[in-house]
Structure formats: structure tokens, C-alpha cells
Amino acid sequence: MKAKKIKNTIFYIPLLIILTISLFIMYHARVISPLYTKHLLKQSIFFIIGITLILFKNKIKIKWLFDYSHILYLINILLLIAVLFLGSTTKGAKAWFNLGIFSFQPSELMKLILCLYLTKITNEQIFRSWKDQIKYLLKVIIIITIPSILVFLEPDTGAIVFYFIIAIAITFASPISKKWFIALTCFIISMLISFFYIYTHHQDFLIKIIGTSFFYRVERLLNFQKGLQIDNALTAIGSAPFLLFNLDNTRIYIPEAPTDFAFALTTNTFGILGNLILLICYFFIDVYLLNLWKRKRKTKEHYFISGFIFMFFINQFQNILMNIGLLPIMGIPLPFLSYGGSSTIVYFCFLTIILKETKQN
């Protein structure tokens, strides 16, 4: 019992430290732009909702979420369709329902529902022959493709990436033959090589195929080391002292500081030490989740935990490396640190389900 309390402490204390740092940088963000004046209040409300979910996790019928995940999936598909017509446009994407004080992003909720639904169909699938495996793979492809197309139209490339990450993680954890993944890897590599060849030598032909708008989105991703965002983020990190406590002055202006570049904003607020503390906190949370994943390998929840953990790890990896100019800018926030109601509450929902299932078993 004592060992379990120590393990829980290793998880909860780092999480609370990250949430605290987030509130400080939201307070600091108000001096960067008047647009961020209400971020502290809203982020506090998001955290209160998330912490309440965890505290009252025993009151939530988790089994119901898995059992009716197919209905939740259909509802979310309808929301993704509706947002294309009724949603508000922010940062060039029509991805949010404007609810007055707050906004709601259905593409973020789909991450949770996909994880629930894919866990359900994987647990129900019988893997007796290669035909069963093909049938399962076709189900996964269809389930992932429909929301991906709708989210692509918004557009929200970052969310689509995580849909596929969740699907790959859950499918890999299933009893399916790993030869399928070798074939998939070879296919992806060949497609990427073909794409880069066409992009490099036949851009006019590529524009005819994918259109001007999508071509320039791809070009921005491939030329990610150029631009005001990354230049200022690198300057903020590179010029920061080791120790700093700066809440009322703008050292360096960073576009999208509270969201995509919250890691760089932490440097602006607390110096290099702030980023080191963040990395240590994420490390302890990752170790806790990885140990949990190992303990649950032969349970029904293993697929759900696999989908979440892989997404959570990639999310941290991509955002932090994006902030230091090693990966493209994709509009992906850093979990529990970046501003964002939909993303934050969805991640708290993931944790609530995982912690509830862990306690039961």
C-alpha cells in the first residue's frame, strides 16, 4: 500500500507542478498581448474541471463510455460536420464552436472517442485467421479516415496526425501479425520518397494534384526553420538566463506564446531552470504511465492505455522539438501546460479513465 502511495505521488506532484507553471505563464502572457488577458482565468477553470474529474472518477461509469463509444463516435462525426458550417474561424481554421465565453473544438474530443471506440472493437475482434485481421484493419481504416477527412477540411493537420498515432498504437498492441506493420512502414517510406521527389523536381505537377492552398501548407511545414515564430522562440530560449522570475515584462515577443510556444514562454518567465523543471516533471509522469502500461498488458484496458501513452509521448516530443526548431510547427499544444480548454479537458478525461481503471484493478 505504501509503495502504491509513493507511485501515485510520483505522478500527481509533477502534474501539479506543470499546472502551476502553466498558470504563472498565463499570467505572464497578459503583458505579451491584450488577447491573452483572460487566459489565466479560463485556464484556471479548465484545470478545476479536470481536477474535479479525477477527484470524482469513482462516480463515473467508465464501462458505459466503452460500451457506447460507437454512438459517441457518430455524435462526434456530426459535430465535425456541423463545425464546418456553423463554426467560428480562428487562425485560418474553422474548427471551433463559439460558446460565448468559451470555445469547443470537436477535433480534440475525437482523440478520446477514437481511443475508446478502437479499444472496444479490438477487444471484440476475434483474430483466428488472416481474414479476421484484414477485416479488423479495414474497420480501423474506415473509423480513422472519416474524421480525418472532415478535420482536414477545417484544416487541422495536427489532430489528424494524432488520430493515426492512436490507431497505430492500439493496432500494434493487438494480436494482429506484425508483418502488417512492416508492409505499412515500407509503403509509407516509398510514398514519402515519391512525394519529396515530386516536390523537389515537379512542383507544378504537384500543385495540379493537391491544389495551391494545400501545397503552400506543405511548403510551410517543410520550411519550418524560417519565420518570426521560430526565430523569436529560439532567441527567447537561447538568450535566457539560467534563473529568472519574470511576470510583468516582455523579454521577447513570441507569437502564439500561450498555446504552441508555451515551452518557450516558460523560458521567458522562469529562465532555463523552468524548462528543466518541466522536462523532469514530464519524465516522472512518462515513467509512471509506462509502468502502468506494462502492468496492464493482459487486460482489456491495455489498448486504451497504449493509445493514450503513445499519443502523450509523441505530443511532448513534437511540441518541445518544435519550440527549439528541430520539427515543423504544426499547431500542437504541450499537454497540461499550453492554453486550451478542449485539449486540456480531453487530456484530463484520458487520465480520469486510466486512473479509474487502475484503481479498480
Side-chain angles (χ1 to χ4, degrees), residues 47-313:
F47 288 166
I48 290 171
I49 293 172
I51 292 170
T52 302
L53 286 172
I54 291 178
L55 291 176
F56 292 93
K57 59 183 179 292
N58 294 330
K59 304 292 183 181
I60 302 172
K61 295 181 179 180
I62 302 298
K63 186 176 181 299
W64 181 90
L65 294 175
F66 287 101
D67 290 344
Y68 295 98
S69 57
H70 58 294
I71 296 175
L72 296 174
Y73 174 82
L74 291 174
I75 292 171
N76 208 154
I77 291 296
L78 293 175
L79 290 173
L80 288 174
I81 294 172
V83 80
L84 294 174
F85 298 96
L86 305 175
S88 59
T89 303
T90 306
K91 303 173 189 176
K94 202 169 187 178
W96 289 265
F97 286 113
N98 191 340
L99 305 177
I101 300 175
F102 301 106
S103 296
F104 166 61
Q105 191 174 5
S107 59
E108 286 294 327
L109 180 60
M110 183 55 81
K111 296 176 185 176
L112 175 65
I113 293 175
L114 278 176
C115 213
L116 290 167
Y117 191 21
L118 291 176
T119 297
K120 172 184 167 65
I121 68 165
T122 305
N123 279 318
E124 292 175 348
Q125 181 67 43
I126 298 172
F127 296 91
R128 290 176 181 169
S129 65
W130 64 269
K131 290 183 180 179
D132 293 328
Q133 295 186 27
I134 292 176
K135 190 184 296 183
Y136 170 72
L137 286 173
L138 287 174
K139 287 180 185 177
V140 172
I141 290 170
I142 293 169
I143 290 169
I144 293 298
T145 301
I146 295 172
S148 296
I149 292 173
L150 293 172
V151 172
F152 177 80
L153 295 174
E154 293 179 358
D156 185 358
T157 311
I160 298 171
V161 170
F162 285 114
Y163 295 166
F164 281 89
I165 286 172
I166 290 169
I168 291 170
I170 293 176
T171 307
F172 191 82
S174 73
I176 198 170
S177 173
K178 300 305 178 275
K179 292 179 181 178
W180 292 106
F181 291 93
I182 296 174
L184 176 63
T185 301
C186 293
F187 175 75
I188 292 173
I189 291 173
S190 62
M191 290 297 291
L192 287 174
I193 291 173
S194 301
F195 176 81
F196 281 113
Y197 174 78
I198 296 172
Y199 175 81
T200 305
H201 297 89
H202 304 283
Q203 289 192 357
D204 292 338
F205 175 70
L206 186 62
I207 291 173
K208 288 180 181 179
I209 296 174
I210 64 176
T212 306
S213 177
F214 184 62
F215 174 82
Y216 285 115
R217 282 163 57 192
V218 172
E219 193 170 35
R220 284 198 300 270
L221 286 176
L222 296 177
N223 295 288
F224 62 90
Q225 292 183 325
K226 299 177 182 178
L228 180 65
Q229 283 181 313
I230 191 61
D231 288 345
N232 287 18
L234 290 174
T235 302
I237 295 172
S239 65
F242 181 76
L243 180 61
L244 181 68
F245 189 71
N246 171 41
L247 296 178
D248 298 310
N249 297 294
T250 306
R251 287 182 61 250
I252 298 169
Y253 171 72
I254 307 171
E256 309 299 338
T259 50
D260 302 349
F261 288 89
F263 187 77
L265 180 59
T266 302
T267 316
N268 243 359
T269 311
F270 295 106
I272 299 299
L273 180 61
N275 284 344
L276 291 176
I277 292 172
L278 275 179
L279 293 174
I280 292 170
C281 288
Y282 279 115
F283 173 77
F284 278 112
I285 293 174
D286 291 344
V287 169
Y288 176 89
L289 292 172
L290 191 59
N291 287 331
L292 176 62
W293 176 79
K294 289 180 180 178
R295 286 194 290 116
K296 307 286 284 186
R297 290 191 73 170
K298 294 183 179 181
T299 65
K300 290 183 177 181
E301 302 82 28
H302 174 65
Y303 304 122
F304 183 84
I305 297 171
S306 297
F308 168 71
I309 287 178
F310 195 38
M311 178 186 69
F312 189 62
F313 289 174

